Amino acid sequence: MQKPDTVFDREFEWSALAGFATSPAAGAALGIVSGRRRQGKTLLLQELCEATGGFYFAATEATASESLRLLAHALAEHRTQRVPLALSSWEDALDALLELGFDSDQGVPVVIDEFPYLCRTSPELPSVIQKALAPRATRRRESRCRLILCGSAITFMGRLLSGPAPLRGRAGLELTVPPFDPRTAAGFWGITDWALALRAHAVVGGTPAYRREYVNDDAPSSLDDFDPWVCRTVLNPASPLHREARYLLAEDSDIRDPALYHSVLAAIASGNRTRGAIATYIGRPADTVGHPITVLEDTGLVVRESDALRRARSYYRIAEPLITFYHAIMRPEWSRLQRPGSAREVWDDSQDRFASTVLGPHFESVCRWWTASHASTSALGGRVVRVAHGLVNDAKARITHEVDVIGLDVDGRIVCLGEAKLGTTVGAGHLERLRRARDLIARTDRHAAGARLLLFSGAGFTSDLMRSAPSERVELVDLDRLYTGA
């Protein structure tokens, strides 16, 4: 089934949804779709129902009785009935939904969007669905209904199919709709200047709605327009994007102490990426920060990454660039930003902080993404299945080398090592430092001795390094290669 023009990219997601929804297999089936808000889940599901004649219902925050009444009205409209159905219980509602798949030779998608809203007032609903979709249930066998439950509450949606949950083992589709990756985001924003694309992605990430609804299609037109664009969008108190980072945290019901969670995020955004460093930053004992960090991981706002060279050591990274930008740039200046006309003044004062705590680390993460997702096997010197970074202790020089990119194969052996410098012209000195790090690692891991060396730069490479790199099997990766090549 051809993807509609209204859906940008999302080839994999559309293919998975279309394949599940229109499958001719007998019997009703259950699908779960999740993802953070504003990623385009609703558009995908609405277009799916439009293309197949399926049924779409968006739940709202309402009592159980009102939700049943709203569902009955939506079903009557879908069936072109003048009189709404009388749905007195969720059992009746499930029977009515399954009937939509009767007398059909292929699957009929039936979508309930914002499913967590219904479960707040009707916690028994997953059990009701489980009973209706039980293998021996008569109406389930008679129907080709493809019931798709969708929600943005990541923690809640994850629990639907985990552990002893009633719906565990019942789903034939479990799809997560992620933000756009850096390349796709650049295409979506219509940016072909890769230095500009990197900066825009460091601010708003890959959330589709941030271009359409939140800034009214106002995209930065050039590098010269980037600073004015930041001031008229995310730093502008009149822009919906201005408070979005705050709302992202408030939307998850598992977060009951927003002040604590904002402090944890501020600690990570400031470069405090270990549990001990986070605890010190927020002034709490280290054994008390485990729960908020775990909740932030479950919501998809924070990612835990293991040190590739010290397995017992973990680092935490904020997954949403807009939250990093908010905590690093906006939150410390919140009062000043609320004064009319102060955005440019705040932005000018924040340039060093933006470069060091937002843009530089973001460039490193994009380099790891490229290594994991788009680099060719020949460029890396082998097949990489995991990419991380790590610290190497140099006892002789009394320093610690941070290796920005470490690619590992399926057996955990090091395939490649990389260094990323955004604003520096990379030369022989950077190559020697990376070689030194490789030699140190090889003392305890002999496989690392043959690791391919990668040098990433947003400002280019010296002519000497460009001449010598091919003969020394060193890969030079600039912004153009990050965004277009392998």
Side-chain angles (χ1 to χ4, degrees):
M1 188 165 57
Q2 186 173 358
K3 180 174 68 68
D5 293 338
T6 54
V7 177
F8 183 86
D9 194 65
R10 301 300 191 197
E11 302 291 346
F12 171 79
E13 290 83 357
W14 179 260
S15 176
L17 283 170
F20 171 77
T22 61
S23 167
L30 174 68
I32 303 293
V33 176
S34 61
R36 297 207 308 271
R37 288 192 184 281
R38 303 161 188 95
Q39 305 307 323
K41 304 185 299 299
T42 294
L43 177 62
L44 276 168
L45 295 171
Q46 287 176 335
E47 291 289 359
L48 179 71
C49 291
E50 181 70 23
T52 59
F55 172 70
Y56 173 87
F57 174 71
T60 59
E61 293 184 281
T63 64
S65 296
E66 186 185 9
S67 293
L68 285 167
R69 188 161 59 248
L70 292 171
L71 177 60
H73 277 282
L75 275 168
E77 184 177 351
H78 178 73
R79 292 174 164 182
T80 64
Q81 296 175 334
R82 292 185 177 181
V83 180
L85 299 172
L87 301 178
S88 59
S89 67
W90 285 113
E91 285 81 2
D92 289 345
L94 263 295
D95 283 346
L97 293 176
L98 289 177
E99 284 182 9
L100 296 177
F102 286 3
D103 303 323
S104 176
D105 57 1
Q106 69 172 20
V108 177
V110 175
V111 174
I112 300 179
D113 204 353
E114 300 295 357
F115 181 67
Y117 286 161
L118 300 181
C119 293
R120 287 180 188 175
T121 54
S122 303
E124 76 281 4
L125 189 48
S127 296
V128 174
I129 295 173
Q130 183 237 6
K131 182 180 178 181
L133 296 181
R136 299 176 69 96
T138 302
R139 296 179 75 78
R140 179 226 176 240
R141 295 199 303 269
E142 295 174 349
S143 175
R144 282 188 167 85
C145 165
R146 303 295 179 248
L147 181 61
I148 300 175
L149 309 178
C150 178
S152 302
I154 302 295
T155 308
F156 176 88
M157 297 302 292
R159 286 197 295 258
L160 281 178
L161 304 178
S162 65
L167 295 178
R168 178 172 171 78
R170 300 292 188 195
L173 173 75
E174 187 176 0
L175 179 68
T176 299
V177 180
F180 289 146
D181 63 41
R183 285 188 182 181
T184 308
F188 183 70
W189 281 82
I191 300 175
T192 55
D193 182 324
W194 309 133
L196 175 60
L198 179 72
R199 284 160 174 77
H201 194 263
V203 176
V204 295
T207 297
Y210 293 164
R211 178 179 182 185
R212 301 293 190 217
E213 295 89 344
Y214 280 68
V215 298
N216 294 319
D217 277 332
D218 180 4
S221 59
S222 65
L223 272 175
D224 289 339
D225 186 43
F226 176 71
D227 291 346
W229 174 77
V230 170
C231 294
R232 66 180 181 258
T233 55
V234 67
L235 296 185
N236 178 7
S239 168
L241 200 58
H242 186 69
R243 291 173 175 80
E244 173 67 4
R246 289 187 167 195
Y247 296 153
L248 284 174
L249 196 63
E251 284 170 348
D252 199 290
S253 59
D254 282 2
I255 295 178
R256 297 182 175 88
D257 183 3
L260 173 61
Y261 290 88
H262 274 296
S263 292
V264 170
L265 291 169
I268 300 173
S270 300
N272 301 282
R273 302 183 59 199
T274 64
R275 182 171 295 193
I278 294 169
T280 299
Y281 182 91
I282 67 175
R284 295 281 187 96
D287 59 356
T288 66
V289 300
H291 176 70
I293 290 175
T294 299
V295 172
L296 288 170
E297 285 186 81
D298 291 342
T299 59
L301 296 179
V302 165
V303 176
R304 180 165 63 93
E305 301 173 333
S306 298
D307 188 312
L309 305 175
R310 303 178 187 180
R311 295 296 178 87
R313 188 177 181 90
S314 296
Y315 305 94
Y316 295 95
R317 174 178 62 84
I318 298 174
E320 172 54 59
L322 183 63
I323 291 181
T324 300
F325 184 85
Y326 167 75
H327 281 283
I329 305 300
M330 299 173 65
R331 192 164 176 255
E333 300 280 6
W334 191 254
S335 295
R336 192 153 60 122
L337 280 171
Q338 304 317 300
R339 296 202 301 265
S342 64
R344 187 60 197 232
E345 178 184 297
V346 170
W347 182 236
D348 288 343
D349 293 344
S350 304
Q351 290 300 301
D352 289 344
R353 202 167 354 122
F354 175 69
S356 61
T357 63
V358 178
L359 192 55
H362 188 74
F363 178 63
E364 294 171 9
S365 69
V366 170
C367 293
R368 287 190 286 272
W369 160 81
W370 177 86
T371 304
S373 305
H374 287 282
S376 65
T377 301
S378 59
L380 302 180
R383 186 169 299 281
V384 168
V385 299
R386 186 170 79 90
V387 179
H389 62 101
L391 299 177
V392 185
N393 185 42
D394 190 338
K396 183 177 180 181
R398 297 182 179 180
I399 60 173
T400 299
H401 300 282
E402 181 173 2
V403 183
D404 301 320
V405 178
I406 302 177
L408 303 112
D409 65 12
V410 68
D411 297 315
R413 294 176 297 200
I414 295 176
V415 175
C416 60
L417 301 171
E419 177 161 340
K421 296 294 182 184
L422 176 60
T424 304
T425 302
V426 173
H430 298 90
L431 177 58
E432 287 306 313
R433 197 193 76 86
L434 194 57
R435 281 184 178 142
R436 174 64 177 166
R438 181 176 63 182
D439 293 342
L440 291 168
I441 298 170
R443 292 179 181 179
T444 55
D445 181 356
R446 61 184 179 83
H447 294 290
R452 180 70 56 86
L453 300 182
L454 314 173
L455 291 173
F456 300 86
S457 176
F461 307 92
T462 64
S463 56
D464 290 344
L465 182 60
M466 294 177 67
R467 283 194 298 269
S468 63
S471 61
E472 299 187 41
R473 299 180 68 244
V474 175
E475 292 290 328
L476 305 182
V477 185
D478 57 12
L479 287 174
D480 185 66
R481 191 171 179 186
L482 282 174
Y483 276 90
T484 63

